Amino acid sequence: MPNTSVVIIGGGISGVAAALNLAQRGVAVDLVEREPRLGGNTLDVCCKAVNGQCQHCGGCLVAERLRAVCAEPLVTVHLSSTITNIQPAGDTFSYQLVTANVKQAKSARAVIAATGFDHIDARTKGPYGYGALSMVITGEDMERRLRAEGQSVYDCAVLRDVAFIQCVGSRDEHANRGWCSQVCCRYAVRLARLLGARSPQTNITIFKMDIQTAGRDSQAFALAQQEGIRFICGLPAVVRRSEKDSAKAALLFDDINTGQFRTNEFDLVVLATGIEPRSDALQLAETLGVERNRFGFLASQDGAALSIPGIFAAGCCQSPRSISESIVHATAAAEACYRYLQEHTQ
Amino acid sequence: MNKTVAVLGGSADAGWVVEELLALSYSVAWVGQEDLPDSPRSDGLRAYPRSRVSAVSGCVGSFRLELSAPPERAVIDAAAIIVAMGNQRLPLGADARIPAHPRVLSTQVLAERLSAPRQISGIAPAQRQHILFALDMLELSGKQAVVETLELALRTHDTWHCEVSVLYRELQVDSDLLESLTRTMREQGIVFHRLQDALPVVDDSGVHVKHADGVLDGDLLVIAPVVRPRSDSAELAGLLRIALGADGYFQQLNVRSYRPGLSNRKGIYLAGRCHLDADDAGARADAAQAAANVAILLGQDHLQPETVIAEVGSTKCIRCLTCIRTCPHAAVELAAYGQVTAAKVVELACFGCGACAANCPVRAITMKGIDVPVWLQEAALV
């Protein structure tokens, strides 16, 4: 398909996967990333293999795709760049590409939004003390540390008791975040299993509402239970500094199984924070002229197509997704885009 | 180049794959053990209903499948294969812990009754009944079962205007669909209860289920389907030399080359519920992914090997067969090099993972395309 090009906004795993897919079908792609590097949020994801056994977290799916997209002649990568002024002009879209204050007028036959997500700031959940208590970290903090220093950081861990708190910022209608972030249960269970394997003397407790096992992760949940990871139904009300030992955190929670309030102490508390739309998602939606759903994700009726023909969404800007689900969705978006191009090319 | 794609399986999943492939103008050979569902009439489609694959040879670009299809045998030459055989659901009686009683039904039976007018079970008029829907009863229900059961519960409530409760252990809300579904159900007065470990008790007065806040009494208990891999998965996996996970579903086991929808062999792809747990929308998206995988493979003018692949030094090879056993991708075979017989890597089938090079006891295998010494390659690979 000569003389057709597609602009993809966002160079995270979804944008990269969509770009690769279109390029492999012979479509020229402009891949625009506002950061100085590709990869987006996935760059923080670590390998979570337990005793050499892959947990299918998808972390390793990223690097080879980033290499491939850089080597792909049909994909032009624009780093530290943004897009403004997208206007439909007949069968094409005209837009301005801004790289380091240099503006360039360009056009594309179709647009794919792949702007990804923001991690929900754990500080918005004040009672959990993130930012104030040093023993309270988030799941991404833990992943980043594992990624930077390797799995062996927990080999000689002096952690006796570790708690994971699920749904931090997700499924919370009071905070206007009624959605399930879909990835936190999976990464928390994987991280918990990894920690348990690396540091067998550590007692691990996961505070949860409902473990989201739909898909193929029910096995991981069952294995975690077999391995002695304790699941407690109900989220803690508050995390404080322990009065007995200032290095520890005290969690106050309502144990649904016994119906009593209890306080337990932990050396480390991991907050499984969720996924929310980018802080500038509204601006993006207005630039593109497309609609958002009631939570602020881009609204699509049928998988990837947005409310304006020729504009598609890939990955987490449309709904929370794991890495492999993002790749599948980006592939579907690229497919839909390719068919749109076929139909609209003379 | 041959551009025929063989789709294996008679499930709905396979139907969507066929639809996607035909939309991309590939020739499709559709093989299923059962009668195949109606499909769009197309010159590109050849259907082989009530057929079994009995032998598979060749590699990506040139697979040959032999079918035992009464009355005659058939042969398919295909460039790629998509496995989309779906899963199976166990009958309610398969587990003895579920009491056999007219008050205990499968979702299928209830759905049939729902389409028949008025009377539910002959026990009482519909409006006064209390119907319990149980997810996660014996094991955590998968996505397909959860979506199907919740939709049925809502439909029952809408049709019969009776009292409906849902029992669960871990309520699944992890998609737009499930979330809006559970929200709507709650708004309509359907109550959710968390199950305790005790099994349901059924007697003539009704169904009694223990949950976190007490005991729930109902008139009917509808149990979410229990889904398993198809019993013939293992046989097909053996013929195709592709991997099954510990749970019996098709699964790519080599971490180094794991990608969504790929099997462990080049040119063989997985689609739908034979490798993942998904509702219909998920299975449809996966069908598109499988078709895209094929389009990427066959979109080239001719097939090309990976940039990094393994190569056997035939003079060093001691024919210990270690590489043939080790290769996760069935890409090594024995071949004649002039007078000698030695291991040979089928270039198109090799993923370049390096498992063979790392395990060869005489270091006869090198990774072509990597410009580093073998000892370093091995250090990096192990």
Side-chain angles (χ1 to χ4, degrees):
Chain A
M1 223 183 281
N3 298 326
T4 55
S5 75
V6 171
V7 62
I8 299 180
I9 312 170
I13 187 61
S14 303
V16 166
L20 277 174
N21 202 287
L22 284 171
Q24 281 160 332
R25 315 285 296 277
V27 178
V29 175
D30 283 300
L31 183 61
V32 183
E33 167 61 48
R34 67 175 165 193
E35 299 292 325
R37 52 187 193 164
L38 291 176
N41 282 312
T42 56
L43 294 177
D44 295 329
V45 175
C46 64
C47 173
K48 300 178 199 69
V50 172
N51 295 329
Q53 272 243 310
C54 176
Q55 294 206 70
H56 295 278
C57 74
C60 53
L61 303 181
V62 179
E64 65 172 315
R65 282 181 172 69
L66 295 187
R67 268 198 300 277
V69 86
C70 293
E72 179 59 60
L74 279 173
V75 179
T76 316
V77 179
H78 306 275
L79 295 174
S80 308
S81 304
T82 52
I83 276 182
T84 55
N85 243 342
I86 297 188
Q87 300 289 344
D91 250 3
T92 63
F93 297 87
S94 67
Y95 62 93
Q96 283 201 314
L97 179 71
V98 186
T99 310
N101 294 327
V102 180
K103 288 185 182 170
Q104 195 185 346
K106 297 188 69 123
S107 73
R109 304 296 308 272
V111 182
I112 298 181
T115 49
F117 66 92
D118 280 343
H119 289 286
I120 292 173
D121 184 357
R123 272 170 291 228
T124 57
K125 196 83 179 168
Y128 288 163
Y130 181 70
L133 299 173
S134 58
M135 63 298 236
V136 179
I137 63 170
T138 64
E140 351 133 32
D141 293 339
M142 190 170 174
E143 291 228 16
R144 239 177 251 143
R145 177 152 186 229
L146 280 163
R147 169 126 183 176
E149 299 171 47
Q151 290 196 349
S152 55
V153 288
Y154 289 110
D155 281 3
C156 325
V158 285
L159 302 167
R160 255 181 57 84
D161 299 287
V162 173
F164 285 78
I165 304 179
Q166 298 305 120
C167 299
V168 176
S170 305
R171 298 185 70 187
D172 187 351
E173 289 285 2
H174 300 294
N176 240 339
R177 296 201 194 97
W179 66 88
C180 166
S181 290
Q182 308 191 21
V183 294
C184 342
C185 282
R186 304 189 225 174
Y187 79 66
V189 170
R190 287 175 184 136
L191 286 174
R193 289 190 64 211
L194 173 60
L195 182 62
R198 283 291 177 172
S199 169
Q201 74 282 5
T202 305
N203 303 312
I204 302 174
T205 308
I206 298 184
F207 294 90
K208 52 98 184 175
M209 288 200 232
D210 301 283
I211 290 290
Q212 300 302 310
T213 51
R216 287 282 302 285
D217 279 345
S218 53
Q219 262 200 320
F221 179 43
L223 286 171
Q225 286 173 310
Q226 281 166 28
E227 288 159 8
I229 294 173
R230 199 158 59 119
F231 288 84
I232 292 184
C233 195
L235 301 182
V238 62
V239 180
R240 290 200 200 99
R241 194 180 292 283
S242 161
E243 285 163 15
K244 289 172 238 159
D245 180 349
S246 64
K248 290 193 173 195
L251 267 68
L252 179 68
F253 63 97
D254 179 10
D255 189 345
I256 290 182
N257 290 331
T258 62
Q260 282 170 335
F261 267 108
R262 279 169 43 192
T263 304
N264 280 10
E265 300 202 336
F266 294 93
D267 299 293
L268 182 71
V269 178
V270 184
L271 306 181
T273 48
I275 282 176
E276 66 180 355
R278 287 275 187 203
S279 53
D280 54 0
L282 175 63
Q283 200 189 330
L284 173 77
E286 280 173 353
T287 313
L288 295 173
V290 296
E291 284 156 28
R292 299 199 298 163
N293 69 13
R294 68 196 166 95
F295 295 136
F297 295 100
L298 297 181
S300 77
Q301 279 77 40
D302 183 21
L306 296 181
S307 49
I308 292 184
I311 304 187
F312 303 87
C316 289
C317 61
Q318 193 258 340
S319 159
R321 289 190 163 82
S322 69
I323 292 179
S324 57
E325 285 164 354
S326 291
I327 293 173
V328 171
H329 188 245
T331 310
E335 274 306 299
C337 181
Y338 183 75
R339 274 182 213 174
Y340 168 84
L341 291 176
Q342 275 185 321
E343 283 161 20
H344 291 77
T345 304
Q346 301 74 19
Chain B
M1 192 168 81
N2 173 3
K3 299 227 170 176
T4 302
V5 183
V7 177
L8 308 184
S11 64
D13 300 356
W16 290 319
V17 172
V18 170
E19 229 172 78
E20 293 283 342
L21 288 171
L22 291 176
L24 294 168
S25 341
Y26 288 105
S27 312
V28 178
W30 188 3
V31 184
Q33 289 205 11
E34 44 289 270
D35 284 318
L36 296 175
D38 287 335
S39 53
R41 254 169 224 290
S42 159
D43 295 340
L45 177 64
R46 285 208 64 182
Y48 299 86
R50 296 176 300 283
S51 305
R52 268 184 52 236
V53 177
S54 56
V56 181
S57 57
C59 74
V60 56
S62 54
F63 288 109
R64 170 160 288 199
L65 292 93
E66 286 170 37
L67 307 184
S68 51
E72 83 272 31
R73 292 159 64 86
V75 172
I76 299 172
D77 287 310
I81 299 173
I82 297 180
V83 180
M85 64 199 307
N87 53 18
Q88 59 170 341
R89 52 185 64 199
L90 300 183
L92 213 49
D95 196 301
R97 288 173 293 172
I98 300 284
H101 193 281
R103 290 183 181 277
V104 182
L105 314 176
S106 66
T107 48
Q108 242 163 338
V109 171
L110 187 82
E112 282 162 20
R113 291 200 191 161
L114 204 56
S115 29
R118 313 285 321 151
Q119 207 78 349
I120 304 180
S121 59
I123 297 169
Q127 289 84 343
R128 267 181 278 148
Q129 294 229 348
H130 182 191
I131 305 184
L132 314 181
F133 289 84
L135 301 164
D136 310 333
M137 190 57 118
L138 300 172
E139 61 183 41
L140 293 177
S141 300
K143 198 157 199 158
Q144 185 187 4
V146 172
V147 171
E148 192 181 309
T149 309
L150 291 181
E151 278 178 345
L152 184 66
L154 185 58
R155 200 146 56 84
T156 308
H157 185 266
D158 289 348
T159 316
W160 285 337
H161 309 291
C162 55
E163 194 179 348
V164 168
S165 301
V166 176
L167 297 147
Y168 66 94
R169 276 175 218 280
E170 307 288 337
L171 188 63
Q172 302 301 302
V173 294
D174 73 336
S175 68
D176 292 348
L177 173 70
L178 282 170
E179 217 174 78
S180 48
L181 200 56
T182 48
R183 184 187 305 268
T184 315
M185 291 171 78
R186 284 200 165 106
E187 281 165 4
Q188 302 219 359
I190 295 173
V191 186
F192 288 75
H193 293 285
R194 197 182 286 272
L195 275 171
Q196 295 294 75
D197 281 331
L199 287 164
V201 177
V202 189
D203 54 34
D204 291 339
S205 71
V207 188
H208 317 285
V209 190
K210 225 173 134 195
H211 62 87
D213 310 308
V215 177
L216 198 63
D217 301 312
D219 299 293
L220 286 180
L221 178 65
V222 182
I223 304 214
V226 175
V227 174
R228 288 277 183 278
R230 277 179 60 118
S231 47
D232 50 355
S233 300
E235 188 196 339
L236 187 65
L239 284 170
L240 293 172
R241 292 194 283 165
I242 59 177
L244 286 183
D247 53 5
Y249 288 96
F250 291 98
Q251 189 174 36
Q252 158 82 278
L253 299 174
N254 185 357
V255 184
R256 287 189 160 271
S257 55
Y258 169 74
R259 269 166 248 174
L262 261 64
S263 78
N264 52 309
R265 282 188 76 192
K266 275 279 168 71
I268 304 184
Y269 303 94
L270 310 173
R273 289 169 278 216
C274 66
H275 79 121
L276 48 79
D277 173 32
D279 54 356
D280 286 358
R284 209 179 257 270
D286 199 56
Q289 161 91 14
N293 277 331
V294 166
I296 288 167
L297 176 80
L298 301 183
Q300 319 162 55
D301 294 334
H302 56 276
L303 297 178
Q304 281 176 342
E306 300 278 327
T307 34
V308 175
I309 54 171
E311 187 179 38
V312 181
S314 57
T315 50
K316 285 189 191 166
C317 176
I318 54 168
R319 293 174 294 281
C320 67
L321 310 185
T322 303
C323 48
I324 295 179
R325 272 194 306 274
T326 320
C327 177
H329 309 295
V332 193
E333 56 187 32
L334 274 184
Y337 293 75
Q339 297 288 312
V340 285
T341 304
K344 183 171 188 296
V345 176
V346 181
E347 294 195 345
L348 285 177
C350 177
F351 277 73
C353 72
C356 52
N359 285 288
C360 177
V362 292
R363 293 186 179 176
I365 304 180
T366 47
M367 298 307 291
K368 204 158 81 175
I370 299 185
D371 278 339
V372 290
V374 175
W375 65 268
L376 226 175
Q377 284 175 32
E378 284 176 12
L381 293 167
V382 181

